[in-house]
């Protein structure tokens, strides 16, 4: 997937809403692309909906040219659920923690039960690749036919379930 910058002011909500907000340190665009490319084949309604990057003219880039190209405002959806992404200009002493994770419920009960289980296995493998790791490997657990809990290379954790 190629990144297509979407600029402009996001729509103003007409009712309150809550949106997960993921803060990175310079790899927000790479993470968004990875999530969409990894999840979209399995989960419809997964796409980048907004991507604004800092330019040399961005106020915070004047003192720190390394910020040029980092995400100022990004949004993507997974199964239609919006997520916001931001690259934090200053370094910080914290990161993602497994105590908060993204729970993805994959469909079950279809004509090919093995393909449903294979989807959890494939997503768990792809999300935990290149520096990620499994917290609970893909398997059948008493509460689910197939479940996996993995951390990706940035430390964002994903719980994948096919009941």
């Amino acid at each position: 997937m190629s990144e297509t910058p979407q600029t402009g002011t996001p729509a103003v909500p007409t009712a309150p809403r809550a949106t997960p907000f993921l803060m990175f340190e310079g790899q927000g665009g790479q993470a968004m692309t990875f999530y969409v490319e990894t999840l979209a084949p399995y989960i419809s309604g997964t796409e980048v909906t907004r991507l604004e990057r800092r330019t040399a003219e961005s106020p915070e880039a004047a003192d720190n040219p390394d910020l040029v190209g980092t995400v100022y405002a990004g949004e993507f959806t997974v199964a239609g659920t919006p997520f916001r992404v931001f690259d934090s200009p200053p370094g910080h002493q914290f990161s993602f923690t497994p105590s908060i994770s993204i729970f993805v419920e994959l469909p079950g009960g279809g004509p090919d039960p093995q393909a449903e289980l294979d989807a959890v296995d494939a997503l768990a493998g792809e999300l935990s690749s290149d520096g990620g790791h499994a917290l609970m490997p893909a398997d059948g657990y008493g509460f689910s036919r197939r479940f996996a809990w993995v951390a990706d290379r940035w430390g964002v954790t994903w719980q994948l379930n096919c009941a």
Side-chain angles (χ1 to χ4, degrees):
M1 180 195 117
S2 62
E3 288 186 21
T4 305
Q6 308 261 331
T7 59
T9 305
V12 176
T14 57
R17 68 177 176 206
T19 303
F21 191 100
L22 305 175
M23 185 173 66
F24 296 87
E25 291 186 78
Q27 295 184 323
Q30 180 183 357
M32 286 175 55
T33 298
F34 174 75
Y35 297 148
V36 170
E37 287 178 351
T38 300
L39 298 168
Y42 302 94
I43 304 169
S44 62
T46 300
E47 63 183 340
V48 172
T49 56
R50 180 178 180 207
L51 180 56
E52 294 182 44
R53 294 183 181 273
R54 292 181 180 87
T55 66
E57 291 76 36
S58 299
E60 60 269 28
D63 294 330
N64 189 350
D66 291 340
L67 292 175
V68 172
T70 61
V71 175
Y72 172 74
E75 295 178 8
F76 68 100
T77 60
V78 175
T81 300
F83 290 81
R84 287 190 172 199
V85 172
F86 175 73
D87 277 320
S88 175
H92 42 78
Q93 299 297 315
F94 54 87
S95 185
F96 298 106
T97 171
S99 65
I100 302 243
S101 60
I102 301 167
F103 190 90
V104 178
E105 188 75 45
L106 294 162
D112 189 349
Q114 187 59 49
E116 296 166 357
L117 304 180
D118 292 346
V120 172
D121 296 350
L123 280 173
E126 291 177 46
L127 287 167
S128 64
S129 67
D130 297 324
H133 62 279
L135 299 167
M136 287 178 73
D139 204 349
Y141 293 92
F143 57 86
S144 176
R145 286 189 308 133
R146 183 74 91 228
F147 175 84
W149 190 359
V150 299
D152 66 31
R153 67 189 81 163
W154 297 281
V156 175
T157 60
W158 300 81
Q159 294 187 57
L160 309 169
N161 188 53
C162 181

